[in-house]
Amino acid sequence: MIRNYLKIAWRNLKKYKFISFINLFGLTVGLTCCLLILTYIINEVSYDQYQQSKNMYRVERTFLNPQDKTVNLRLSAIAPPFGGLMANDFKEIKKITQVLQNGPTPFKYDEKLFSENNSFFADEAMLDLFDVKLTKGNAAKALDEPFSVMLTEGTAKKYFGNDEPLNKVVRINNQFDLKVTGVYKSFPTNSHLHPDVLISFPTLMDSAVYGKQNFVDNFGNNAFFTYILLPDNYDPQKLEAQFPAFQNRHINEGDGKLKPADWSQLNLRKVTDIHLYSHKDDEIEENGDIKRVYIFSAIALFILLIACINYMNLSTARSVLRGREIGIRKVVGARRKELIGQFLSESVFLCWIATIIAFFITWLTLPFLNKLSGQNLSVDIILKWQIVLSLVLVPFVVGLISGIYPAVFLSSFQPVKTLRGVFKVGGSSISFRKVLVVLQFSISIILIVCTAVVFQQLRYMQSKSLGFNKDHIVTLSYNRNLTPQYEAFRAELLSNSNVKSITRSSRIPTGRLLDAMGSRINRGDSLSPTQADIKFIVADEDYLSTYGVKVLAGRNFSRSYGMDTSAFLINEAAVKILGLKSPEDAIGKQFQYGGNKGQLVGVFNDFHFESMHQRILPLVMFIPKKPGNFGRLSVKISGNIPAALAHLENTWKKFSPEIPFEYTFLDQRFERLYESEQRQKSIFTIFACIAIFVACLGLFGLSAFTISQRVKEIGIRKVLGASVNSIVTLLSKDFLKLVGIAAIIAFPVAWYAMSRWLEDFAYRIQIPLWIFFVAGIIAAAVAFFTIGLQAVKAATTNPVKNLRTE
C-alpha cells in the first residue's frame, strides 16, 4: 500500500512539475530557515555544559539605594574577602574558586611582544570546575606556585613555535617573570569565558601585585568572579537566605545606622543560565539573550507556517487538475480514507525531499550565518543523535500539518461532478484559504514593521548627538611605566601638527561607569552626606578638551593650579541629583567624594559615556593624587591620519619599547556597542524578505485556484466588452482586501512587540505611524504584482477558449 502511494506521489510530482516545484521550493525554504535557526538556538542553550554544571553557581553582588531599595549597580563579580569567608562559614559549599580577569595585558618572550586580552588569575579548583584539559603539565600543581602560568595550545604555539613550552619564562607588563607550568586545550566556544592565559592565583598574594591584606578587608574591589559547587539536590535559595546575616557579620563599612545588607545583596546564578539570562554591568564577555532566542524561534516557526500554508493553497489549486483522477478512483471503489492516505503520503514524501535538500542548503549557508551572527556554528550541532531523532519526525509532522487540509478537501469531491470536468468549490473552503492568506500576510507585515523599527532605532542611535566629538580619537591602554616621563611623552606627541591633544583617564566613552563612592556636599556650615549615586572617572586636565565636552559653568581643570587635585567637575545630571538649582549654583561648593575633599570648580554638559541602552548617569571627575590610577590614553588627531598614527607609534616605541603598540578608534568602539542590533537588523531584513516571497507563493496558489474557477465568467465579460484593466481590477480587489485585513491584524501585534523591544533602550524612538503605512503599501504592492501576473494572463486569453471550457 505504502509503496503504491509513493509511486503515485512520484508520478504526480513529475506530471505537475511547475506546481510541484513551487511546493517543494516553499517547503525547502521554510525548513532551511528552521534548520539554520535551530542550529543557532541549540548552540545558545548549550552554553557552559560542564560535568558539574548542574550544581555550579556564580556568586553575584547588587548594590541598592538604602532609601527606596532601587538598584544602583548589578555586578557579576564580588570582593575578594568573600571567597575565603564563604568557604569557612558555609560547609555546604563543596568547592569554591575565584577568578580575576585582567584587562589588555602585555607579555614578552625573548624579543617578541604580545598583548593578551583574555588573561586570568585562577587556581586548581577552577581547572576542575570548568573541565580544563591539560596537554602538558600537572593539573594538581600547575597553579600552586606564585608566578607560574598556563597557556592554551594556540597561545603556546604563538609564543614558542614548536619548542617545548614547559619551564619557559615569559614577562608580564614588563614587571614580573612567569614560568610556564602547563598547556591546556582552549575552552569550548559555547562557554561564557575563554581564557588564553591562566596565571596562578597565589601570584596575587605578592604585595607588589595585589597583596594578602586586600583578601582580608577590601570589600570595595568587586572584580573577582566567584564560583561555588553545591551538593546534589541542594536548594540554592537556602544558601542565599543566609547571605544578609553573612554580610552583616563580616563587613564593617557604613555609618553605623545602616547594615551592609541594606545596601548590598549577594545572590547565586546557575552557571548554565549565565549566557542567556545574565546581563550584569560587568560580564566577562558579551552574553546572548533569551529574548533573541524567542524572537528567532518565532521567526522560524512563522516562515515554516507560511510554507505549510503555501502547500495547502497550492494543493487545493491543483485540485482542478486532479478532479477526474479523484472521480475515477472513487468510481472504481477507492474509499475516502484511502484517498486521504494517498494525499498525506504525497505531502510527507514531498517534505522528505524538502528536508534532505534543506539539510544540504543549511550546510552551505552556515558560513554566511556565522558571518552575519558573529557565531561559530557548525552543522555538527544538529547531528547529535537526540537532535537527528527529533528531526526524523519533522517530515511527518510538517507533512501532516500541511497536507491534512488538502487531503480532506480533495477526498470530499463527488465523482459525478468531477468526471464532468468542471466543478465548483463551496464558499467555506474558499473562506478558509482566504484566512490562510490573511495569516501569511499578517506575519509578513509584522516582520516588515519590525525590520523598519530596528532600522530607525539604529539610525537614531548613530545620528543622535552624543554630547562630545568621537571622531578621530585614538585610544590606547595606558602604560604606567610612562608616568615618570609622561610630560616628555606628551610634548613629543604634540610636536607633530597632526596631533591635537592627548589625555589620560581611568575610563573612556563606550566603557561602563561602574565606579562609585559616597559623597558629601556643603549644606549650611558643614559637609552633609548625600544619598546620590554618583559614578566617577579620574582624568587629567586635557580630558574635556580632547573629547570636545563643554564646560557650562565654572572652569576646567588647569595646569595653572598645579595638579589641581582638590578640584571636582560634575555633569548636569549630578547637579540635579545633588539638589542644586543650576550649574552656576554648584560652583564653589565644598565637596567630598570618597576620601577626597575639595571644591566644585566646574560643571560640564551631559554626554553619552555609555551606550544608549543606559541613561546618562550623574558623574564626577577629578584628578587622582596617584597617577597610577590612570588606565587609558586618548589622542585627538586630524589632518594626515596615517602620518599622525605613524608619529604616535614611533613615539610610543621610543618611550615604551617593552609594550606592544595597539590602538583603536573611538568611533569603531561605538559601532561595536550596537553590533547585536546590527545583526538583528540584518537577520530581520533577510527573513522578512523570505517571508514575503514565500507568502507570495501562497497567494499565487489561491489566485490560480480562484481564477481557474472564473474562466467562464471572464470569457463572458470579455465578449460583452470588458477591458483587460477592468478584469484585472476585478480579480485583484478581493485579494487586496485580504492584505488590508492582514494589515489591520498585524499592526497592533507589531506595535506591541517592538514597543517591548525598544524598552531595552534608555534613549529610543517613538514608533512613527508612517512605518505601518509603508509596510502595508509594500505588502499590497507585492500582492498586487503577484496576482496581477495571473490576472493579466487570464484577461488576455481568447474568450472563445474560455467559453468552450465546460
Side-chain angles (χ1 to χ4, degrees):
M1 179 76 71
I2 299 297
R3 181 180 178 184
N4 184 55
Y5 285 166
L6 295 177
K7 185 185 294 185
I8 296 172
W10 177 248
R11 287 174 181 172
N12 276 300
L13 286 176
K14 291 195 297 182
K15 183 176 181 181
Y16 306 111
K17 293 184 177 63
F18 181 65
I19 292 180
S20 296
F21 170 76
I22 295 177
N23 267 334
L24 181 62
F25 183 78
L27 286 172
T28 300
V29 170
L31 288 168
T32 300
C33 291
C34 281
L35 287 175
L36 287 170
I37 294 178
L38 178 65
T39 305
Y40 162 78
I41 292 171
I42 292 174
N43 182 69
E44 288 293 283
V45 301
S46 65
Y47 266 68
D48 298 305
Q49 299 295 329
Y50 306 106
Q51 290 183 13
Q52 303 177 91
S53 289
K54 68 175 184 177
N55 296 321
M56 186 161 50
Y57 296 82
R58 184 175 70 184
V59 186
E60 302 174 343
R61 194 175 189 186
T62 301
F63 288 89
L64 308 173
N65 185 324
Q67 277 64 44
D68 56 11
K69 300 298 182 181
T70 56
V71 175
N72 292 332
L73 192 61
R74 299 177 175 87
L75 298 179
S76 57
I78 60 175
F82 283 126
L85 293 171
M86 283 183 175
N88 183 68
D89 287 16
F90 304 117
K91 301 307 179 184
E92 55 264 59
I93 296 178
K94 296 174 62 177
K95 192 165 290 188
I96 186 168
T97 184
Q98 290 180 289
V99 178
L100 177 64
Q101 183 181 25
N102 292 319
T105 307
F107 280 76
K108 181 180 180 182
Y109 176 69
D110 285 343
E111 298 304 314
K112 295 184 289 187
L113 298 177
F114 307 93
S115 181
E116 298 296 345
N117 295 317
N118 290 308
S119 64
F120 291 75
F121 288 92
D123 58 20
E124 65 276 4
M126 189 262 195
L127 303 183
D128 177 53
L129 290 176
F130 288 91
D131 300 341
V132 179
K133 295 178 174 59
L134 272 69
T135 56
K136 294 180 182 293
N138 185 340
K141 298 180 179 179
L143 295 177
D144 270 358
E145 298 296 325
F147 300 102
S148 57
V149 64
M150 294 174 57
L151 309 174
T152 62
E153 292 174 311
T155 305
K157 182 79 172 178
K158 179 174 67 175
Y159 282 32
F160 312 118
N162 295 322
D163 294 344
E164 172 59 49
L166 291 184
N167 298 319
K168 290 283 195 306
V169 175
V170 297
R171 190 162 182 80
I172 178 175
N173 208 26
N174 199 32
Q175 290 180 297
F176 308 105
D177 290 330
L178 304 175
K179 185 173 72 171
V180 179
T181 55
V183 177
Y184 61 95
K185 291 184 177 295
S186 297
F187 277 49
T189 55
N190 54 349
S191 171
H192 76 279
L193 74 168
H194 296 89
D196 294 320
V197 176
L198 293 175
I199 305 168
S200 64
F201 208 78
T203 306
L204 289 170
M205 301 302 171
D206 190 285
S207 58
V209 182
Y210 191 73
K212 290 183 179 179
Q213 192 60 33
N214 281 311
F215 281 90
V216 176
D217 55 20
N218 189 350
F219 287 94
N221 180 21
N222 294 280
F224 287 73
F225 298 93
T226 304
Y227 303 86
I228 63 173
L229 183 67
L230 296 177
D232 290 339
N233 303 316
Y234 183 86
D235 184 0
Q237 293 183 356
K238 292 182 180 179
L239 185 59
E240 285 185 323
Q242 302 177 62
F243 283 159
F246 169 75
Q247 289 189 90
N248 294 337
R249 189 164 59 246
H250 292 291
I251 300 177
N252 297 315
E253 298 178 7
D255 56 9
K257 298 179 182 178
L258 292 172
K259 296 180 179 179
D262 292 331
W263 48 265
S264 170
Q265 290 181 349
L266 295 176
N267 62 281
L268 300 176
R269 184 179 299 277
K270 199 168 185 178
V271 167
T272 52
D273 290 341
I274 290 175
H275 179 67
L276 289 178
Y277 297 94
S278 180
H279 306 288
K280 301 294 183 180
D281 296 323
D282 62 337
E283 297 290 350
I284 296 177
E285 297 179 9
E286 181 184 357
N287 285 332
D289 191 343
I290 191 62
K291 292 180 183 177
R292 208 174 303 154
V293 171
Y294 291 151
I295 289 171
F296 291 154
S297 300
I299 290 174
L301 292 176
F302 283 161
I303 293 179
L304 184 59
L305 179 59
I306 290 174
C308 291
I309 292 172
N310 281 355
Y311 185 88
M312 296 179 194
N313 282 332
L314 289 169
S315 295
T316 51
R318 192 173 60 175
S319 64
V320 175
L321 304 175
R322 299 188 66 176
R324 282 197 175 93
E325 174 196 340
I326 296 165
I328 292 172
R329 284 178 177 274
K330 283 198 168 186
V331 168
V332 297
R335 290 173 294 178
R336 188 175 185 185
K337 67 177 183 179
E338 292 171 341
L339 289 172
I340 291 175
Q342 171 64 49
F343 295 128
L344 285 179
S345 66
E346 290 182 15
S347 177
V348 172
F349 179 64
L350 192 69
C351 286
W352 265 111
I353 298 175
T355 302
I356 294 170
I357 298 173
F359 258 103
F360 180 70
I361 297 176
T362 299
W363 176 69
L364 290 177
T365 53
L366 265 179
F368 171 73
L369 181 63
N370 285 335
K371 184 177 180 180
L372 192 66
S373 64
Q375 305 265 339
N376 186 25
L377 305 177
S378 167
V379 75
D380 295 340
I381 293 173
I382 55 176
L383 289 181
K384 299 175 181 177
W385 71 267
Q386 301 95 327
I387 307 300
V388 171
L389 187 62
S390 301
L391 291 177
V392 167
L393 301 176
V394 167
F396 296 100
V397 175
V398 175
L400 291 174
I401 291 173
S402 58
I404 190 65
Y405 172 70
V408 173
F409 171 73
L410 293 173
S411 65
S412 67
F413 290 168
Q414 297 180 13
V416 175
K417 293 183 178 181
T418 56
L419 290 174
R420 291 180 60 193
V422 176
F423 55 92
K424 296 295 180 183
V425 180
S428 60
S429 299
I430 295 175
S431 298
F432 180 69
R433 284 189 296 280
K434 287 181 178 179
V435 169
L436 296 181
V437 171
V438 168
L439 179 59
Q440 283 185 312
F441 273 87
S442 294
I443 294 170
S444 301
I445 292 170
I446 289 171
L447 289 176
I448 294 172
V449 172
C450 292
T451 303
V453 171
V454 173
F455 264 93
Q456 288 300 307
Q457 177 64 18
L458 283 173
R459 183 180 178 185
Y460 169 77
M461 292 188 297
Q462 292 164 351
S463 61
K464 187 180 185 298
S465 173
L466 297 173
F468 71 98
N469 187 354
K470 70 178 187 302
D471 297 331
H472 300 151
I473 293 181
V474 180
T475 66
L476 309 91
S477 292
Y478 180 67
N479 174 20
R480 295 181 182 180
N481 296 330
L482 273 176
T483 300
Q485 48 188 346
Y486 176 73
E487 290 303 323
F489 172 75
R490 175 175 176 271
E492 183 149 342
L493 271 183
L494 293 175
S495 67
N496 188 300
S497 61
N498 295 309
V499 178
K500 299 304 177 185
S501 62
I502 177 174
T503 183
R504 299 175 291 179
S505 60
S506 58
R507 296 184 185 274
I508 58 173
T510 69
R512 295 302 308 274
L513 291 170
L514 304 180
D515 309 311
M517 293 185 284
S519 60
R520 293 172 176 263
I521 193 169
N522 179 250
R523 302 188 192 278
D525 298 328
S526 62
L527 286 173
S528 301
T530 72
Q531 302 302 326
D533 177 39
I534 304 177
K535 308 299 182 185
F536 78 89
I537 59 173
V538 295
D540 64 15
E541 298 86 351
D542 302 305
Y543 191 86
L544 295 186
S545 59
T546 299
Y547 282 96
V549 178
K550 296 178 181 179
V551 177
L552 303 179
R555 65 173 178 86
N556 190 5
F557 296 134
S558 173
R559 287 182 170 81
S560 303
Y561 294 84
M563 282 295 290
D564 217 0
T565 53
S566 61
F568 294 95
L569 300 175
I570 59 175
N571 67 350
E572 296 170 272
V575 170
K576 294 176 183 176
I577 202 171
L578 288 172
L580 302 172
K581 296 178 181 178
S582 65
E584 291 74 17
D585 187 42
I587 306 306
K589 294 280 187 184
Q590 294 298 312
F591 189 71
Q592 180 178 343
Y593 191 79
N596 302 317
K597 291 184 179 180
Q599 193 177 64
L600 295 177
V601 300
V603 176
F604 55 90
N605 65 275
D606 285 340
F607 65 93
H608 289 277
F609 195 95
E610 303 173 299
S611 81
M612 291 191 187
H613 287 279
Q614 286 80 37
R615 292 198 172 276
I616 293 176
L617 298 174
L619 180 64
V620 61
M621 193 179 300
F622 56 90
I623 296 176
K625 292 182 173 60
K626 296 181 180 179
N629 291 329
F630 293 126
R632 304 291 298 183
L633 274 175
S634 304
V635 183
K636 180 76 171 181
I637 61 177
S638 64
N640 189 331
I641 303 301
L645 292 174
H647 177 65
L648 176 58
E649 181 176 8
N650 292 334
T651 307
W652 179 271
K653 289 181 177 179
K654 177 180 177 181
F655 285 87
S656 297
E658 303 297 322
I659 308 298
F661 175 72
E662 293 189 336
Y663 69 91
T664 58
F665 279 96
L666 188 67
D667 53 1
Q668 294 174 331
R669 291 175 63 92
F670 266 97
E671 287 177 6
R672 286 199 291 269
L673 285 179
Y674 307 116
E675 279 184 349
S676 173
E677 287 75 23
Q678 290 283 4
R679 291 169 185 159
Q680 285 188 45
K681 179 194 74 173
S682 301
I683 292 173
F684 269 133
T685 302
I686 291 171
F687 284 118
C689 292
I690 290 173
I692 294 171
F693 178 72
V694 178
C696 286
L697 293 178
L699 190 61
F700 177 89
L702 184 57
S703 59
F705 177 84
T706 303
I707 291 172
S708 69
Q709 298 291 299
R710 301 178 69 177
V711 291
K712 188 172 181 179
E713 174 193 344
I714 295 169
I716 294 173
R717 287 181 180 274
K718 288 204 69 177
V719 169
L720 295 177
S723 66
V724 172
N725 287 341
S726 65
I727 293 175
V728 170
T729 302
L730 176 70
L731 296 174
S732 302
K733 66 180 182 180
D734 289 339
F735 294 102
L736 293 179
K737 288 179 184 177
L738 300 181
V739 177
I741 295 171
I744 293 172
I745 296 171
F747 289 162
V749 176
W751 179 86
Y752 175 77
M754 295 317 292
S755 295
R756 293 293 303 273
W757 182 78
L758 287 170
E759 287 176 0
D760 288 338
F761 298 89
Y763 299 90
R764 53 185 178 265
I765 63 169
Q766 295 295 322
I767 303 177
L769 293 178
W770 66 260
I771 284 180
F772 299 97
F773 178 75
V774 170
I777 292 296
I778 291 174
V782 172
F784 182 77
F785 178 76
T786 304
I787 302 160
L789 290 176
Q790 295 189 85
V792 169
K793 180 180 177 181
T796 55
T797 302
N798 188 336
V800 175
K801 182 179 179 181
N802 288 342
L803 291 172
R804 292 174 61 185
T805 303
E806 188 62 53

